[in-house]
Amino acid sequence: MQATVWLASGCIHVKAMLHLLGNQMNASKPYHKEHLRQDLLDAGREYLKNHGHVTLSIRTLATQVGVSPGAPYHHFADRRALLFALAAEGFKDMMAGTNAVESGNMKPEVKLHRMGILFIRFAEQNTRLLDLMYESELTTPSLDPELLQFQMMGHEALRKQIVAAVPGLSAEEANLRVIVFWSTIYGFVTMRKKGVIHHGNENVPSTDIAEAIVSRAIVAAVAA
């Protein structure tokens, strides 16, 4: 009888200790849905960096962050929703830099230059994320309307600087100059990514060609 009581008491103590340890673990690593969503996005960014978006799957990310295959669906309805969230993060990162430039006390030509270089450097550091943002199932065969809003924000940021540098431009001319400027910058990024423009080619200047491209694009954008 005494042994039985002791064993029962021991079981109670063990259960109490396990319960206490569980509470301590939960306190040190709290679970919040917002945390899981961001963990998935962080894992997604890392996957994009190494592999691109084509083979990215929700199941793969679930495995990487250590949750069940169904857990991510509390935050992303499907794979497209996940891809959109990753692309939106990329646009928000770029717009944060653009907004910082806009708020600075600089001439509009300087702001245009910094915005152009900002995009080129972002493209250099996030090549595969840029593919998702501009050349993926989110943009082909039709551009996602919400991504279009991000692109229009970038267009407007450039337009403001061109109008400030060249007062009196018509709306049509200002928009045309934005398109010319953007086409130059994006075209350069695309050509360099595809290897059409690269150092070592005898036809490519040895100077910092990114700086040169942006500077010449600005000359056209703010010409009288």
Side-chain angles (χ1 to χ4, degrees):
M1 177 66 70
Q2 288 180 343
T4 302
V5 171
W6 183 87
L7 287 173
S9 176
C11 288
I12 293 172
H13 287 312
V14 169
K15 288 181 179 179
M17 289 177 64
L18 290 175
H19 180 70
L20 178 60
L21 287 172
N23 287 341
Q24 289 175 342
M25 290 177 65
N26 289 335
S28 62
K29 295 183 68 176
Y31 173 80
H32 296 293
K33 290 183 178 180
E34 293 79 9
H35 291 176
L36 175 56
R37 185 179 190 280
Q38 192 57 53
D39 286 348
L40 291 166
L41 290 175
D42 291 344
R45 287 283 287 262
E46 187 64 23
Y47 188 94
L48 284 175
K49 181 179 179 181
N50 295 320
H51 308 288
H53 69 275
V54 175
T55 57
L56 178 61
S57 70
I58 288 180
R59 179 179 289 273
T60 297
L61 295 189
T63 300
Q64 288 187 3
V65 302
V67 296
S68 69
Y73 290 98
H74 291 290
H75 305 283
F76 306 106
D78 51 28
R79 178 177 179 274
R80 184 182 179 85
L82 170 64
L83 292 179
F84 172 81
L86 289 166
E89 269 206 346
F91 277 110
K92 289 175 183 176
D93 287 351
M94 281 203 307
M95 287 310 302
T98 298
N99 292 338
V101 172
E102 276 193 290
S103 64
N105 184 22
M106 299 170 280
K107 292 181 178 180
E109 294 89 345
V110 176
K111 290 184 179 182
L112 275 175
H113 186 274
R114 292 197 177 184
M115 288 177 185
I117 292 297
L118 181 73
F119 180 80
I120 291 172
R121 301 310 179 209
F122 180 90
E124 290 172 347
Q125 297 165 15
N126 302 276
T127 304
R128 287 169 169 163
L129 174 58
L130 202 74
D131 286 342
L132 175 63
M133 293 162 62
Y134 288 98
E135 300 180 44
S136 71
E137 60 206 72
L138 299 176
T139 63
T140 304
S142 61
L143 178 62
D144 186 288
E146 292 186 67
L147 291 189
L148 175 60
Q149 292 302 311
F150 283 115
Q151 293 189 14
M152 292 309 298
M153 289 167 62
H155 179 97
E156 180 60 18
L158 295 173
R159 191 192 69 81
K160 285 180 181 178
Q161 306 314 316
I162 291 174
V163 169
V166 191
L169 285 179
S170 67
E172 182 176 2
E173 178 64 20
N175 286 326
L176 179 59
R177 293 188 184 207
V178 172
I179 292 171
V180 171
F181 181 84
W182 171 239
S183 297
T184 302
I185 304 302
Y186 187 75
F188 167 68
V189 164
T190 302
M191 292 175 70
R192 190 160 67 171
K193 180 183 70 174
K194 294 179 184 251
V196 179
I197 298 175
H198 60 87
H199 289 297
N201 185 328
E202 62 181 12
N203 295 319
V204 176
S206 59
T207 58
D208 187 339
I209 192 169
E211 292 279 351
I213 291 290
V214 174
S215 296
R216 282 156 180 74
I218 292 170
V219 170
V222 301

